[in-house]
């Protein structure tokens, strides 16, 4: 696994009894991860409360107030149509976060399905599914993403599907590994001897074992998905105006780099910060849930 | 080794075939059909005639095989927007993307490998933590935003470097192109740099725990020799395979980077074609980049197996 300074921090003595409480103690002692969790929670709350927190409707055009610098009236200034930047940023957060989370939920579902099937049904199925997984990682998939969105339309559903379909591979590998590791364990043997079918064993006995690894992968995946959505929106093949997402806000700000550099700076910084926090949280969770670092 | 070579080459061939099938299937299933059929002035009879002329009313497998046979001969069709052979346009712009991708890869490797080695050698030091922080920034920063910030700083404010394009009009000398190359290269290299640094560091840490390194140390060689003579050479082998995995991202990232800097490569070409629903062009770029990346990864894998014979014996 990739390493970071966080991962190498000395582990504090674990005092709790259950693995869960020991993981919590380790997590609590990781300052960067706790900071990331708190800030991400605040960003999510701000997104949920956007209608309450926004000083103006996000699409309220006011041509007299175009490209204004930050002021008491507009804390982050206004864009090229005189729309309030703070309001658009908050509403943009809703879309960017929702797309990121929905895409990852979909990716985890797909990954669990592929990885579970590959681990459970050995032989041909396994080797074909794993070749597909490897194959997905060895072609420039971004071109297929823009192709799909151009041909089928850049609707929110399509964006979520496209990002989900292209980011399930790490979950599939994790689940397959866990299934292979656990399938011969006594508790699976016991369930099988009691007459449990493969689906029951997969979802009730084997998958729960993989949750820590899946949660880590999903947390890192949300950052990746937000980055993907913003890249697509920046190119104009993602979230479509007048809806605001962090990526498409930046796309239009390109034309005003000289007069209003803040217009490009703010949404990009929001993306950067959110993705960074997701990655830090993911790294922290990995260290807490899986101290051996496998 | 021979068996490994044959198996990996076969896998690459199958992968190319699967990619071509997916590319064709996407276009086949797309609603509306090619842009020419979306012309609102066209009567249903004209549209049917057009479909017939373009062979779009034939069954799926017939169309697929015809397309596949054509691309196997280098015929990627006519671009719907500029009415020129897709192959010619791609061949004209591909070298620009290759220059950008190669420059980024060189920059990423020359910066990341030393950084990763130093971070591993001075594990848990302030240097290690600074490198970890920098690479987490590099992984999280959106390429287009980073690009815009660099343009604002170095092109608009400081006026040191050009904001976009590949050459100044009427110039085009080596130094002129090199100046245009600096910012896009930096942007495209950033995410790869971050990943490569992390992998180099963890590969080094793994190797430093190996018995032969402990033996070397026990023998009394200095720490520098243990790290740079004994460990580094072996740590570089897994790093090579990571470079193979970064190639798809390098080309995918080119779409965004080239758009930010108006770099006349095939990434920008694909984005423009996507807007214009220029089917043959989109499929052409997707196929050409996939084939290049798959073949390059194949070469990296074979090189890897040649350097480390354990790979071809153990399979994957």
């Amino acid at each position: 696994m990739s390493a970071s300074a966080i991962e190498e921090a000395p582990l504090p003595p674990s005092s709790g009894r259950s693995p869960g409480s020991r993981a919590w103690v380790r997590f609590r002692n990781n300052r960067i991860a706790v900071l990331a969790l708190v800030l991400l929670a605040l960003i999510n709350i701000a997104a949920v409360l956007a209608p309450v927190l926004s000083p103006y409707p996000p699409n309220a055009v006011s041509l007299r107030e175009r490209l204004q610098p930050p002021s008491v009236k507009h804390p982050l200034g206004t864009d090229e149509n005189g729309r309030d930047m703070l309001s658009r940023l908050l509403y943009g957060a809703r879309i960017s976060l929702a797309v990121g989370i929905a895409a990852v939920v979909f990716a985890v579902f797909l990954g669990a399905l592929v990885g579970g099937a590959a681990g459970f049904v050995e032989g041909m199925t396994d080797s074909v599914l794993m070749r597909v997984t490897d194959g997905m990682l060895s072609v420039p998939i971004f071109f297929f993403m823009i192709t799909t969105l151009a041909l089928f339309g850049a609707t929110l559903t399509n964006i979520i599907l496209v990002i989900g379909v292209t980011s399930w591979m790490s979950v599939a590998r994790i689940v397959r590994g866990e299934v292979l590791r656990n399938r011969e364990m006594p508790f699976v043997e016991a369930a099988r001897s009691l007459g449990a079918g493969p689906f029951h064993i997969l979802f009730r006995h084997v998958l729960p074992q993989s949750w820590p690894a899946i949660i880590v992968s999903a947390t890192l995946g949300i950052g990746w998905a937000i980055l993907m959505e913003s890249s697509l929106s920046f190119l104009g093949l993602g979230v479509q105006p007048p809806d605001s997402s962090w990526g498409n806000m930046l796309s239009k700000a390109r034309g005003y780099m000289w007069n209003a550099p803040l217009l490009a700076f703010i949404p990009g910084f929001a993306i950067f910060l959110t993705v960074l926090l997701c990655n830090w949280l993911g790294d922290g969770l990995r260290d807490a849930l899986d101290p051996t670092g496998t | 080794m021979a068996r490994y070579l044959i198996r990996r080459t076969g896998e690459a061939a199958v992968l190319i075939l699967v990619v071509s099938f997916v590319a064709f299937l996407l276009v086949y299933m797309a609603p509306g059909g090619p842009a020419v059929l979306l012309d609102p002035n066209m009567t249903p009879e004209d549209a049917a005639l057009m479909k017939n002329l373009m062979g779009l009313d034939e069954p799926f497998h017939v169309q697929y095989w015809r397309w596949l046979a054509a691309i196997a001969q280098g015929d990627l069709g006519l671009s719907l927007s500029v009415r020129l052979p897709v192959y010619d346009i791609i061949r004209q712009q591909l070298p620009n993307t290759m220059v950008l991708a190669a420059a980024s890869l060189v920059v990423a490797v020359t910066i990341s490998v030393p950084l990763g080695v130093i971070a591993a050698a001075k594990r848990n030091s302030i240097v290690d933590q600074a490198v970890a922080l920098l690479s987490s920034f590099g992984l999280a920063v959106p390429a287009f935003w980073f690009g815009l910030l660099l343009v604002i700083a170095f092109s608009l404010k400081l006026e040191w470097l050009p904001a976009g394009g590949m050459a100044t009009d009427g110039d085009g000398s080596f130094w002129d192109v090199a100046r245009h190359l600096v910012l896009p290269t930096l942007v495209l290299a950033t995410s790869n740099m971050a990943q490569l640094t992390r992998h180099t560091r963890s590969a080094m840490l793994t190797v430093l725990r190996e018995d032969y390194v402990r033996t070397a140390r026990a023998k009394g060689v200095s720490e520098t020799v243990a790290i740079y003579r004994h460990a580094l050479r072996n740590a570089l082998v897994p790093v090579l395979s990571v470079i193979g995995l970064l190639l798809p991202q390098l080309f995918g990232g080119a779409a965004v980077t080239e758009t930010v800097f108006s770099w006349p490569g095939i990434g920008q070409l694909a984005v423009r074609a996507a807007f214009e629903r220029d089917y043959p062009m989109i499929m052409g770029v997707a196929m050409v980049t996939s084939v290049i990346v798959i073949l390059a990864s194949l070469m990296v894998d074979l090189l890897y197996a040649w350097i480390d014979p354990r790979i071809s014996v153990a399979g994957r």
Side-chain angles (χ1 to χ4, degrees), chain A residues 121-141:
Chain A
V121 192
E122 283 166 300
M124 260 313 258
T125 315
D126 182 22
S127 91
V128 167
L129 286 177
M130 284 296 101
R131 286 295 139 77
V132 172
T133 309
D134 288 348
M136 293 281 288
L137 290 167
S138 49
V139 293
I141 216 137

Side-chain angles (χ1 to χ4, degrees), chain B residues 15 29 37 52 54 61 85 110 126 137 164 172 178 186 208 253 261 273 288 302 304 310-311:
Chain B
L15 189 56
M29 293 194 321
L37 298 176
N52 184 272
M54 294 169 80
H61 64 274
T110 36
I126 191 96
F137 285 170
L186 198 57
L208 283 174
F261 291 99
V288 168
L302 294 180
Y304 186 26
R310 283 173 298 182
I311 303 299

Side-chain angles (χ1 to χ4, degrees), chain B residues 57-129:
Chain B
D57 51 359
E58 285 181 75
F60 176 78
H61 64 274
V62 176
Q63 290 189 44
Y64 175 59
W65 279 118
R66 196 173 42 216
W67 179 72
L68 200 62
I71 59 169
Q73 295 164 29
D75 174 11
L76 294 165
L78 275 183
S79 158
L80 296 178
S81 56
V82 287
R83 301 279 162 194
L84 286 169
V86 168
Y87 179 79
D88 292 351
I89 300 173
I90 291 181
R91 206 180 54 176
Q92 204 183 346
Q93 302 211 356
L94 184 61
N96 301 341
T97 299
M98 296 299 252
V99 167
L100 179 59
S104 303
L105 198 59
V106 169
V107 167
V109 172
T110 36
I111 294 180
S112 310
V113 171
L115 274 187
V117 170
I118 292 169
K122 300 191 187 307
R123 191 181 168 185
N124 290 339
S125 69
I126 191 96
V127 179
D128 185 19
Q129 292 185 7

Side-chain angles (χ1 to χ4, degrees), chain A residues 1-5 8 131 134-135 137-140 142-144 146-148 150-152 227 230-231 234-237 250 254 257-258 261 264-265 268-269 271-272 275-276 279-280 283, chain B residues 11 15 19 23 26-27 29-31 123-124 129 132-133 136-137 139-142 144-145 148-149 152 156 198 201-202 248 251-252 259-260 270 274-275 277 279 282 289-290 293-294 316:
Chain A
M1 287 304 325
S2 63
S4 67
E8 303 299 334
R131 286 295 139 77
D134 288 348
L137 290 167
S138 49
V139 293
F142 194 74
F143 287 112
F144 289 87
I146 60 177
T147 304
T148 311
L151 295 177
F152 292 85
L227 218 46
S230 66
S231 299
F234 173 77
L235 293 176
L237 293 159
L250 236 164
R254 271 179 87 187
M257 279 189 296
W258 183 247
F265 181 79
F269 186 74
I271 301 167
F272 173 58
V275 176
L276 186 67
N279 291 350
W280 280 353
D283 286 343
Chain B
E11 276 173 18
L15 189 56
V19 166
L26 278 177
V27 174
M29 293 194 321
R123 191 181 168 185
N124 290 339
Q129 292 185 7
L133 191 69
S136 72
F137 285 170
L139 279 181
V141 72
F144 45 91
W145 182 61
L148 291 182
L149 293 186
I152 290 174
L156 298 181
R198 286 183 162 203
R201 179 180 177 278
S202 64
F251 277 84
T259 304
V260 172
F275 275 111
R277 294 175 72 90
Y279 289 40
I282 299 176
T289 49
S290 300
V293 169
I294 291 169
R316 259 193 303 181

